[in-house]
Each structure stands twice: as C-alpha cells, then as structure tokens.
Amino acid sequence: EDVGLVSALQILLTDLRQTTGIRITFDAPSALPDLPAATASTAYRVAAEALTNVVRHSRATLCTVRVAHGGGMLHVEVADNGSGFDTSMSTGMGLRNMLDRAGTANGMSTVSSSPDSGTTVVLDVPL
C-alpha cells in the first residue's frame, strides 16, 4: 500500500526473476489513477497468487504480467506458457482464494487453461 500497485508488483517480479528460471515481462502504465487500498491490495494479492502458481506448478519458461485501466475498471492479467491444466478438475485453495478476493472487491477473476496450453488469470475490478 505504501508504494502503489505498479511498484509493489515490480518489486515482486524482481524477486521472482532472481529466484526462478522463468522469464517474466511486465506491461503496466507509468501511472494509475488513485486506487482505493482495498482495490490495490486485491489486485496485488491475486497477481501474487497467480505468480505463485506459475512458479510452483506450471513448468513455464515465460510469464507476462499486464496491468491496465479504462472504462472504470482495473485490469490485471498473468499469463504463462506452462503446462496448463484442466480447470474443471482443479479445486486448489489458491484458485478459490483468487476468486473470493475478486468478489470481495466487487470484481471478477477468471482462470483460463487447458493441458499443454498455459494458463491465464484475469482480474477486473471496478475503480
């Protein structure tokens, strides 16, 4: 909360780049509108959980994190080129936590994946 969402994500990504073999790219505007603390926290925590899943489960070599805003929404996306999974078969706590966090911020989170096709987590939260 002290450094803002983009800076907090940059710090997290720097740490992950140094400790994993995954190439991580980051696409974000230089400035975001002032975000309510709850919105910034939700976005950070959903992105962090998605990145944790990339590191632990995906066997990815590339991950892209995108942050954007427009139309009264904050959009965060974490996509990897990993092994993917059948989303109908997954009941992991991390996935449920992302969905729950999004809901508490009046937002929506989706997870798209299938075996051998990577995974994309999207969060859209009203500003």
Side-chain angles (χ1 to χ4, degrees):
E1 292 176 12
D2 294 336
V3 299
L5 177 61
V6 171
S7 293
L9 287 172
Q10 287 172 326
I11 292 166
L12 175 62
L13 296 178
T14 297
D15 290 344
L16 289 174
R17 287 181 188 114
Q18 293 173 352
T19 59
T20 70
I22 302 169
R23 191 177 88 202
I24 303 171
T25 62
F26 187 47
D27 179 19
S30 58
L32 288 172
D34 287 334
L35 300 175
T39 300
S41 177
T42 295
Y44 178 84
R45 293 188 183 282
V46 168
E49 183 63 40
L51 288 161
T52 297
N53 288 340
V54 170
V55 171
R56 286 187 184 164
H57 306 296
S58 75
R59 296 188 300 272
T61 58
L62 174 64
C63 178
T64 300
V65 179
R66 291 181 187 91
V67 177
H69 64 92
M73 299 293 283
L74 174 68
H75 177 83
V76 178
E77 180 178 304
V78 178
D80 70 63
N81 70 344
S83 57
F85 64 99
D86 181 351
T87 58
S88 69
M89 301 297 288
S90 180
T91 58
M93 284 297 296
L95 294 177
R96 281 184 283 178
N97 285 342
M98 286 187 284
L99 298 174
D100 289 346
R101 283 185 191 282
T104 61
N106 296 318
M108 187 173 138
S109 183
T110 59
V111 179
S112 303
S113 187
S114 60
D116 301 320
S117 71
T119 301
T120 301
V121 174
V122 173
L123 171 70
D124 288 304
V125 182
L127 294 175

